[in-house]
Amino acid sequence: MQHIRKFSKTTLALGAALYLFSCREMQPESPVESAQKPPIDQIAPELAYPGEKGKIKKGVLRGTEITYAEIDGKAVFEGDIILSPEQLEHTGNARTDALTKLTSLWSNNTIPYTIDASVKDKQVILAAMAEIESKTQLRFRDKNNRSNPFPISPLIRVNYVTFQVGRGYASSVGPVGGQQFVTLPPWGTKGGVLHELAHTIGMYHEHTRPDRNSYVKINANNMDPADMQNVGKFSDNTHDPLPYRKFDFTSIMMLDSWAYSNNGQPVMTTMDNKTFTVQRDHLSPTDVDAIIAMYSNVLIGKEDNIYLGDSTTGRTVENAGYLPGYKKMFATSEYLYVADKSYLFEMNKKSGTGGYPIWVIPQGTSAIKAFTYANKNLYALQNGYLLRFAFPWGGGNPEKLGGQLWQGASAITYASGNLFIISGDVLYRVSLTGTSSSPIGYGYQGTTELVTLKDKVYALRPSGKLYRIDLVSGTPVLHTNTSYATNAQLASNGKNLLITSGNSLLNVSESGVVKVLSDGWAGATDLAVVNPDVK
């Protein structure tokens, strides 16, 4: 059975469920033969409180037992990650409970920040931010810039980062609510700040990814037992995000062989007992791709796979998995639904979980032609039937709404309390129960692109023209004078229409203004856009 791999990088979650591990997974291994001494240019691991072990505590995070160090009243995880009170809510006993929401993404791909007066050399911070901006879609915005003030409402808690000088390097993972801190030592470097900002974005350490044991050996005899919690690995299960691509020794999030060594001998080696060094100069290519995937807002189906992209910058990366051939996709604010000729997959867009079939398409029947979503129900056109998947999905088969009435159907959308289906040359208004339908317009033969924007329905015809449809009379009204490619794809992000046409991704406003957002979109056979209004 072919599965879609989850969109996540080593230590990141796509929208961000926290990776968890149990210290029970860590077992001492045999010492390395012919151990090498640390190199002169060894890079020490980033630590919030260098030289302090703190009080080792156990906690429960989303039902999984973890170990962390309590130092200066803070929960320090993996050496430099500060868990917030919301992530670890103490219950007054030896165990801790966690809130369901652990980590999220920064809104609008923007990270507001301030720099505390304790920071004397701002250049290392600015250089680290500049590298992230130059290679990804993320942007940093000075919260106190009076020429470009950050909108503040007394009813909304603004998430932002404050850079400050402390004893060592520290940060939280993703936005944790309100003000949070990135701490650097007085001698902080661009590389150290870049590592901490990667945490802030939502990334974890490379050496703790679930498949770590296939690439790295842990030599527990060469480290203090109190440091064991810093080299655990995340649970390898279907509930946590899977790694993004292959293990990356060049990642800005990787630690070297001698991290946490208490005797000068290596703690981590390759599988053939060789030591390795790491870099703190730049984001690796895989780091960059992971961030782009993590903050993507457009999903593109192509003949060879699914690609994740950013609509504004045009940066795209290939899904870490593999799903070639025919596919249809639909995205809500939380879920991505993908159908090939054999399966319907559901994937949680925020947590990265899922990616496994929720329905097996019966053999001998046709593939799903189109999707739409309404009132927590996914509607699909398949083999002439209108299907309804009610969520939360409990398995089994979807409900067939009516008979096999839609053999010629090619497109579906939801607006104003009804479904609208194009079948053959006719546009139908259909009730959500499928019990009633009526033709409201003609001339739609061959139309496969039908979407809703602010309760208005738009159709992209094979002629390459975009129309807004009068839902009372069914009359199409030309929306723009632009002619689009014959294989153009249409979607809505809740604010505007997005169209892939040739090599370009176009933004089309409600008033009909067309703007080229970016290039590099050639070969798209399907388009799904994250729409926060579709829940």
Side-chain angles (χ1 to χ4, degrees):
M1 182 179 293
Q2 185 178 20
H3 301 314
I4 301 177
R5 303 294 284 180
K6 302 161 199 172
F7 306 148
S8 51
K9 150 78 174 157
T10 64
T11 46
L12 74 79
L14 179 67
L18 185 64
Y19 280 102
L20 306 172
F21 69 86
S22 168
C23 286
R24 290 190 295 271
E25 293 183 308
M26 289 298 308
Q27 298 295 330
E29 299 185 15
S30 301
V32 178
E33 298 178 2
S34 303
Q36 303 176 26
K37 293 182 179 180
I40 296 176
D41 59 349
Q42 176 195 0
I43 296 177
E46 287 76 13
L47 296 173
Y49 296 92
E52 290 193 37
K53 304 295 183 184
K55 184 178 181 180
I56 302 302
K57 290 192 170 185
K58 291 187 181 295
V60 175
L61 213 54
R62 292 187 70 175
T64 300
E65 186 176 73
I66 67 164
T67 303
Y68 64 94
E70 186 177 87
I71 307 175
D72 195 25
K74 294 183 174 64
V76 183
F77 188 57
E78 295 183 4
D80 64 337
I81 297 171
I82 306 300
L83 297 177
S84 70
E86 288 77 18
Q87 290 171 325
L88 282 177
E89 182 176 282
H90 290 272
T91 59
N93 55 32
R95 301 175 70 83
T96 55
D97 297 326
L99 300 182
T100 301
K101 184 177 181 181
L102 298 173
T103 317
S104 57
L105 299 179
W106 292 91
S107 300
N108 302 316
N109 292 353
T110 301
I111 302 177
Y113 73 93
T114 62
I115 300 179
D116 186 77
S118 62
V119 178
K120 303 306 179 185
D121 183 8
K122 297 181 181 180
Q123 284 306 119
V124 294
I125 296 172
L126 298 177
M129 291 192 297
E131 171 156 347
I132 293 170
E133 289 190 336
S134 69
K135 296 179 177 179
T136 76
Q137 65 269 51
L138 295 184
R139 296 294 178 262
F140 294 88
R141 185 172 177 182
D142 187 345
K143 182 174 175 289
N144 294 330
N145 186 344
R146 294 184 179 181
S147 64
N148 187 22
F150 200 84
I152 296 178
S153 167
L155 301 178
I156 300 176
R157 181 170 63 168
V158 176
N159 297 332
Y160 68 100
V161 172
T162 294
F163 294 90
Q164 65 178 11
V165 169
R167 291 187 52 187
Y169 289 105
S171 57
S172 300
V173 177
V176 297
Q179 184 184 29
Q180 63 191 74
F181 297 91
V182 170
T183 301
L184 62 155
W187 57 88
T189 65
K190 171 200 169 186
V193 174
L194 199 55
H195 178 95
E196 296 309 320
L197 279 178
H199 283 318
T200 302
I201 290 168
M203 297 170 67
Y204 288 76
H205 296 118
E206 187 80 2
H207 69 279
T208 56
R209 53 189 275 166
D211 61 350
R212 183 273 309 284
N213 288 349
S214 297
Y215 299 90
V216 172
K217 290 183 179 181
I218 303 296
N219 305 287
N221 293 335
N222 295 334
M223 63 189 304
D224 190 310
D227 287 324
M228 287 291 291
Q229 59 102 4
N230 296 326
V231 293
K233 79 174 184 68
F234 301 126
S235 300
D236 190 4
N237 55 42
T238 60
H239 303 292
D240 297 321
L242 294 176
Y244 184 82
R245 296 184 180 167
K246 292 183 179 180
F247 195 94
D248 184 9
F249 283 93
T250 69
S251 171
I252 195 74
M253 308 309 291
M254 186 61 185
L255 304 186
D256 72 16
S257 285
W258 296 270
Y260 303 110
S261 174
N262 66 354
N263 59 8
Q265 299 300 308
V267 169
M268 290 188 285
T269 65
T270 59
M271 299 306 290
D272 57 356
N273 293 334
K274 293 181 180 179
T275 58
F276 52 86
T277 58
V278 295
Q279 60 87 19
R280 285 296 183 269
D281 181 63
H282 57 269
L283 296 173
S284 73
T286 305
D287 291 335
V288 173
D289 287 354
I291 294 172
I292 294 173
M294 190 178 190
Y295 282 85
S296 62
N297 57 10
V298 178
L299 300 112
I300 311 100
K302 294 187 178 183
E303 182 61 31
D304 61 336
N305 205 350
I306 295 174
Y307 290 77
L308 298 89
D310 174 64
S311 59
T312 302
T313 64
R315 292 186 169 94
T316 61
V317 296
E318 189 174 7
N319 170 32
Y322 182 60
L323 194 70
Y326 177 89
K327 62 189 74 72
K328 279 292 179 181
M329 305 184 297
F330 188 85
T332 69
S333 60
E334 294 188 1
Y335 293 96
L336 170 66
Y337 299 95
V338 183
D340 63 5
K341 292 183 178 180
S342 300
Y343 303 102
L344 171 62
F345 304 92
E346 180 190 66
M347 191 177 307
N348 190 304
K349 180 72 173 59
K350 290 185 177 180
S351 70
T353 56
Y356 290 84
I358 63 171
W359 184 52
V360 179
I361 297 174
Q363 291 187 354
T365 65
S366 61
I368 289 177
K369 297 286 186 66
F371 290 117
T372 195
Y373 192 86
N375 302 332
K376 299 187 182 302
N377 292 299
L378 181 70
Y379 293 86
L381 296 171
Q382 190 269 333
N383 203 47
Y385 289 100
L386 174 61
L387 305 180
R388 180 168 63 188
F389 298 82
F391 292 96
W393 180 242
N397 290 311
E399 180 183 2
K400 292 179 179 178
L401 303 181
Q404 200 172 14
L405 308 174
W406 306 102
Q407 289 283 15
S410 59
I412 185 172
T413 193
Y414 167 79
S416 301
N418 291 286
L419 301 173
F420 292 87
I421 297 176
I422 291 175
S423 185
D425 190 56
V426 185
L427 174 66
Y428 292 87
R429 181 189 292 111
V430 183
S431 68
L432 291 178
T433 60
T435 54
S436 65
S437 64
S438 57
I440 63 169
Y442 299 88
Y444 292 92
Q445 187 71 43
T447 301
T448 61
E449 303 303 307
L450 188 71
V451 303
T452 300
L453 172 64
K454 299 179 181 178
D455 228 25
K456 297 182 178 65
V457 174
Y458 297 81
L460 186 58
R461 288 185 168 181
S463 63
K465 292 297 184 179
L466 177 65
Y467 294 86
R468 179 173 58 80
I469 300 173
D470 185 315
L471 297 184
V472 176
S473 65
T475 304
V477 178
L478 188 66
H479 190 59
T480 72
N481 291 319
T482 304
S483 293
Y484 304 97
T486 54
N487 63 343
Q489 303 296 310
L490 174 67
S492 168
N493 62 8
K495 295 181 180 179
N496 297 288
L497 301 173
L498 293 180
I499 298 176
T500 57
S501 181
N503 193 46
S504 298
L505 179 66
L506 308 174
N507 182 94
V508 182
S509 71
E510 194 176 7
S511 60
V513 177
V514 180
K515 176 183 177 182
V516 177
L517 292 177
S518 50
D519 294 322
W521 303 86
T525 59
D526 198 24
L527 176 67
V529 178
V530 177
N531 186 343
D533 296 332
V534 181
K535 300 178 180 179

